[in-house]
């Protein structure tokens, strides 16, 4: 199982939604709860975040591959699909 690298801002509404989606997906599929998630608050951990290039947050990497990155105007379903893809990729 691979680790999810979750880049976020604490005050970002898209990031708040992404965290909620993660909890919902774990509740629906408890095996997702076994995936380790490293959370990087990009405003405060800039050096660490620099290893994972992104234009927007939330952004998810697995190893060195960007799996999901939010975009302005993103819908709930786009967020959910991206995060679910990340969980599935981490479990492979």
């Amino acid at each position: 199982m691979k680790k999810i690298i979750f880049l976020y801002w604490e005050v970002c509404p898209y990031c708040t939604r992404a965290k909620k989606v993660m909890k919902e997906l774990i509740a629906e599929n408890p095996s997702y709860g076994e995936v380790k998630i490293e959370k990087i608050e990009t405003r405060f951990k800039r050096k660490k975040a620099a290893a994972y290039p992104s234009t927007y947050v939330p952004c998810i990497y697995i190893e060195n591959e960007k799996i999901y990155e939010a975009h302005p105007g993103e819908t709930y379903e786009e967020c959910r699909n991206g995060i679910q893809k990340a969980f599935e990729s981490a479990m492979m």
Side-chain angles (χ1 to χ4, degrees), residues 13-28:
Y14 290 101
C15 298
T16 300
R17 177 172 58 194
K19 288 187 235 175
K20 180 181 175 189
V21 166
M22 285 181 166
K23 287 180 185 178
E24 290 171 0
L25 288 169
I26 291 169
E28 292 169 18

Side-chain angles (χ1 to χ4, degrees), residues 70-84:
H71 60 84
E74 179 178 72
T75 67
Y76 173 86
E77 283 304 314
E78 288 174 311
C79 176
R80 184 178 170 89
N81 291 340
I83 292 172
Q84 186 166 18

